[in-house]
Amino acid sequence: RGGGERASTIVRAVAHLHPLPGTPLDGDARREAAGRFGASVGALLEEDRAAPPAAPRSDDSLYRMLFALRYNGFPSGLYPHVSMFNHGEDANCVKYPPGAGKWSEVRCTRSVARGEPLTISYLPDIVSHGTRRAYLLAHHHMDIGAAPHDGAPGERGAALRDTERIHGILPVAGTDDAPTLSAAAALIESELDALAGRIRVAAAADDRVVAEQLEDDAVEIVCGAAEALGNEEHVLLCRAYGLHVRAAEALALRVGPLPKNTLRRLAESLRRLLRAQTVLLGPDHPDVAATFDGLSRCVGTMLGRCPGELFGIGVKEWKDAPAAARAEWEYRREVARIGEMYPRDVEQKIVEYSKNVQEDAVS
């Protein structure tokens, strides 16, 4: 709202986005549009009647604009170029929110072959295939199929399907096992959603007791999820380990140096998170770099404060002081290696591009 000319400009800007202009808005599509956007469209048309724009708008064009905004927008705004990225179940790009400037930035997370589509994930969180399918159907009218990563080729496809198996069984909609397996995943997701909410509250509060209880509960939820899934590399454990790390970080803000047993549990979660992320996201993803950074700091702290706790975890690379020091160095090296792949210099590149365009125009 706020001016017919401005709204008309938005209509033109999103005209190339889904839904396509040739798609008729009738029947179910019309009823869905009216149910979701009827009040907004009515208000915009009322503005037009009070102050007619130069180019009259129909309710059909406004419905299309709002659908396009819904299907192609991001929490930080609508970016006509970025919105042309399709969703990928094994996305090869990551989208960053805008920094100090107005530009949204997308970078590849692995090598991409000539002609291979560039894709991002439309999902706000790491979730199971059933939840991804329901979300994409509801928000983008996209069906990713009944079977997880169906048709994904080679070893990579097999590894991704393994991240969805529950006690060795791949949940496929329509099979006898699907209801039980989907219910188990949904229960874990509800617990993880609740834990994420508690972490957000704890981060804003200054309560040591709450933070300590939260970290304990996070460990219990992680252990329960691992047992229920029967798969150490399940996609939901990637999120579960990450939430435990966040809970431990929230506790550190309240108590300062973490207790020895908490550091040990944090190190174990970081190690398992790294393994799960590497399978799910690939070895060069920025989230993997963040986990390497957490591991380097955790191992370094334990080497200085409680080396016995670190050696007692039973991991070969942390078996003694020389091995753990070497591991810490390798973690830091991986942080630097991956970081160089994501320079976050879009603002500088835009300035350079604009300058080159102006120089070309003058010459």
Side-chain angles (χ1 to χ4, degrees):
R1 301 185 65 178
E5 290 303 324
R6 181 171 182 273
S8 295
T9 300
I10 295 175
V11 170
R12 291 193 296 272
V14 302
H16 70 290
L17 302 178
H18 179 84
L20 298 177
T23 305
L25 280 178
D26 54 14
D28 290 342
R30 169 68 64 174
R31 284 189 288 273
E32 179 184 1
R36 293 187 178 186
F37 308 123
S40 297
V41 168
L44 288 168
L45 292 175
E46 185 64 31
E47 285 189 0
D48 285 0
R49 284 189 283 271
R57 299 174 298 175
S58 66
D59 58 348
D60 188 85
S61 69
L62 292 172
Y63 282 135
R64 291 182 186 285
M65 177 187 71
L66 293 168
F67 268 126
L69 291 170
R70 175 179 175 82
Y71 294 150
N72 298 280
F74 296 91
S76 55
L78 176 72
Y79 304 90
H81 291 96
V82 177
S83 66
M84 290 188 283
F85 282 82
N86 285 329
H87 168 78
E89 282 292 272
D90 184 22
N92 53 27
C93 295
V94 61
K95 177 192 176 298
Y96 290 98
K102 62 182 180 180
W103 304 102
S104 189
E105 184 173 352
V106 177
R107 291 192 177 271
C108 293
T109 58
R110 58 177 180 269
S111 297
V112 179
R114 183 185 296 274
E116 180 183 351
L118 299 178
T119 58
I120 58 177
S121 175
Y122 288 0
L123 278 297
D125 278 311
I126 295 176
V127 292
S128 65
H129 173 265
T131 302
R132 293 198 304 276
R133 188 184 188 196
Y135 179 92
L136 292 168
L137 276 170
H139 290 79
H140 300 280
H141 283 206
M142 175 192 303
D143 190 353
I144 58 175
H149 301 286
D150 190 26
E155 294 181 1
R156 177 64 181 164
L160 289 172
R161 285 187 285 275
D162 285 344
T163 66
E164 299 280 351
R165 295 185 186 277
I166 299 178
H167 289 285
I169 303 172
L170 190 66
V172 178
T175 62
D176 292 342
D177 295 316
T180 301
L181 298 176
S182 297
L187 178 60
I188 292 170
E189 285 176 332
S190 67
E191 292 179 338
L192 296 179
D193 288 342
L195 178 61
R198 291 176 59 196
I199 291 173
R200 286 192 293 270
V201 172
D206 187 16
D207 192 322
R208 172 173 179 159
V209 174
V210 169
E212 288 175 337
Q213 185 62 53
L214 180 62
E215 194 272 334
D216 284 339
D217 291 348
V219 171
E220 184 177 344
I221 290 171
V222 168
C223 293
E227 182 177 354
L229 294 167
N231 177 3
E232 291 188 358
E233 295 180 353
H234 194 278
V235 61
L236 292 183
L237 288 182
C238 191
R239 186 183 180 200
Y241 294 135
L243 287 173
H244 174 234
V245 171
R246 285 176 54 194
E249 291 172 345
L251 176 59
L253 292 174
R254 304 293 171 267
V255 303
L258 291 171
K260 295 178 181 180
N261 66 320
T262 305
L263 279 171
R264 177 175 181 144
R265 298 194 299 198
L266 175 59
E268 291 175 335
S269 281
L270 283 165
R271 183 177 65 88
R272 293 183 176 121
L273 174 61
L274 179 64
R275 182 172 61 184
Q277 285 178 328
T278 302
V279 173
L280 187 64
L281 305 174
D284 300 327
H285 197 280
D287 288 355
V288 172
T291 302
F292 270 123
D293 182 57
L295 265 174
S296 70
R297 289 185 286 110
C298 185
V299 169
T301 298
M302 294 184 75
L303 272 174
R305 286 183 49 211
C306 50
E309 289 287 334
L310 180 65
F311 307 154
I313 292 175
V315 176
K316 183 178 180 180
E317 61 195 30
W318 303 337
K319 65 179 181 179
D320 53 31
R326 169 97 184 160
E328 181 194 5
W329 177 80
E330 289 178 347
Y331 300 154
R332 286 189 277 108
R333 185 178 64 176
E334 281 298 285
V335 174
R337 180 189 70 81
I338 299 173
E340 291 177 354
M341 301 172 65
Y342 304 91
R344 302 300 307 279
D345 57 354
V346 64
E347 298 291 336
Q348 176 185 342
K349 289 187 178 298
I350 291 294
V351 170
E352 292 173 355
Y353 173 78
S354 300
K355 181 180 179 181
N356 291 337
V357 169
Q358 292 173 356
E359 291 176 350
D360 290 343
V362 171
S363 61

